[in-house]
Amino acid sequence: MIIKFERRTDQPDAAGRCKVYLVATFDGQRLRLSTGERCLTAEWNEEKSRFRKSFSGFQEANDVLDALSEKVVKAHRDLRTAGVMV
C-alpha cells in the first residue's frame, strides 16, 4: 500500500486555500479521502507532501496527517486479516 497526501488546486475557496487529500493506492485501486485541512500554495511542501512552517499550527497538522495514514494502514491490514475484500 502506498499512501501520499496531495493538495488539490482545482477547487480553491474564496481565500485561495485548497483541500488536502489522503491518497492510498493498493491492489490496483485508489482511495481518496479529504483530510479536512486547507492551505495556501506557500504553506504546502509539494515534495514532502507536508505542511510548511509558514502554516499556522503546522506541527499539529502534520501529526494529523501521520495519524490518518496510520489509521488507513491499520484498517487495510484488519480487513485483509479478516479475509474481507478491500
Side-chain angles (χ1 to χ4, degrees):
M1 173 183 286
I2 298 170
I3 295 180
K4 64 179 184 172
F5 294 93
E6 66 180 23
R7 182 177 167 272
R8 297 283 308 261
T9 58
D10 54 344
Q11 296 178 340
D13 64 7
R17 298 177 308 153
C18 296
K19 291 182 182 179
V20 176
Y21 285 85
L22 176 143
V23 180
T25 307
F26 54 93
D27 300 330
Q29 298 180 25
R30 182 175 57 201
L31 171 69
R32 180 175 287 146
L33 300 170
S34 175
T35 64
E37 296 286 345
R38 291 178 175 264
C39 67
L40 297 170
T41 303
E43 299 170 334
W44 183 251
N45 186 333
E46 193 70 36
E47 293 175 7
K48 294 182 181 179
S49 296
R50 292 288 187 260
F51 293 99
R52 294 178 191 244
K53 291 182 180 180
S54 60
F55 183 74
S56 177
F58 79 97
Q59 187 61 50
E60 293 83 13
N62 285 332
D63 290 345
V64 167
L65 297 184
D66 292 337
L68 285 173
S69 178
E70 290 173 13
K71 284 182 181 181
V72 169
V73 169
K74 183 183 181 316
H76 182 260
R77 186 180 318 121
D78 291 346
L79 288 173
R80 291 192 64 169
T81 302
V84 177
M85 293 246 339
V86 181

